[in-house]
Amino acid sequence: MEHAWKGCGTEKTFRQKRVLRRLGRDTAGVAAIEFAFTVPVLVLILVGIIQIAAAFFTLNQMNWVAREAARGLAVGDFADTAEAQSYINSHLISWAAANSTVDIKVPDPGTPGDTDFRVAISVPLQHAALLDPVGYLAGKNVSAYSIMRDEQATP
């Protein structure tokens, strides 16, 4: 009497091969494994999008504050640069305001034709974004600059 597993070795190896063939065709759990591989990539992309959005939001806020401070100086809403500096610090986003560098230049009365108020704000990029776990943003800055002509100066 000849057995079906005769060419396969022993009956034990024949059963092992059948089990392996069945496992090879089994698709249960494939979605969970694919999910486990794709989630970290999707989370990194999402965190990157949030980082870029926070940096652009900070830059937009800095542009607005610089423009408003320069305008306030030009039309006389602020008595001096200290008041403009206070306005800038109070209106910048909190995480950027603590690390900002503000440069305010007023017109020099001794220089003819110098009627421009200049406001420049600079913030390190690592403080403009929300997270910087690996230190990639260190050493880079986000800057905003605005110039307004003195409305009260005589031409």
Side-chain angles (χ1 to χ4, degrees), residues 44-91:
L44 282 174
I45 291 170
L46 180 64
V47 168
I49 290 170
I50 291 170
Q51 286 291 88
I52 291 170
F56 274 111
F57 179 72
T58 304
L59 177 62
N60 187 37
Q61 187 73 15
M62 288 168 51
N63 280 322
W64 177 77
V65 170
R67 184 182 64 243
E68 289 299 311
R71 187 197 66 75
L73 285 167
V75 299
D77 288 347
F78 300 130
D80 56 4
T81 58
E83 192 175 340
Q85 176 79 35
S86 174
Y87 176 84
I88 290 169
N89 289 336
S90 67
H91 284 79

Side-chain angles (χ1 to χ4, degrees), residues 62 85 88-89 92-103 120-124 127 142:
M62 288 168 51
Q85 176 79 35
I88 290 169
N89 289 336
L92 274 180
I93 298 168
S94 61
W95 65 78
N99 302 293
S100 66
T101 303
V102 179
D103 184 31
I121 304 171
S122 180
V123 173
H127 297 291
V142 178

Side-chain angles (χ1 to χ4, degrees), residues 3-17:
H3 297 291
W5 60 82
K6 185 174 182 180
C8 298
T10 65
E11 183 178 347
K12 184 178 178 183
T13 57
F14 180 70
R15 283 188 197 138
Q16 287 173 344
K17 287 180 181 179

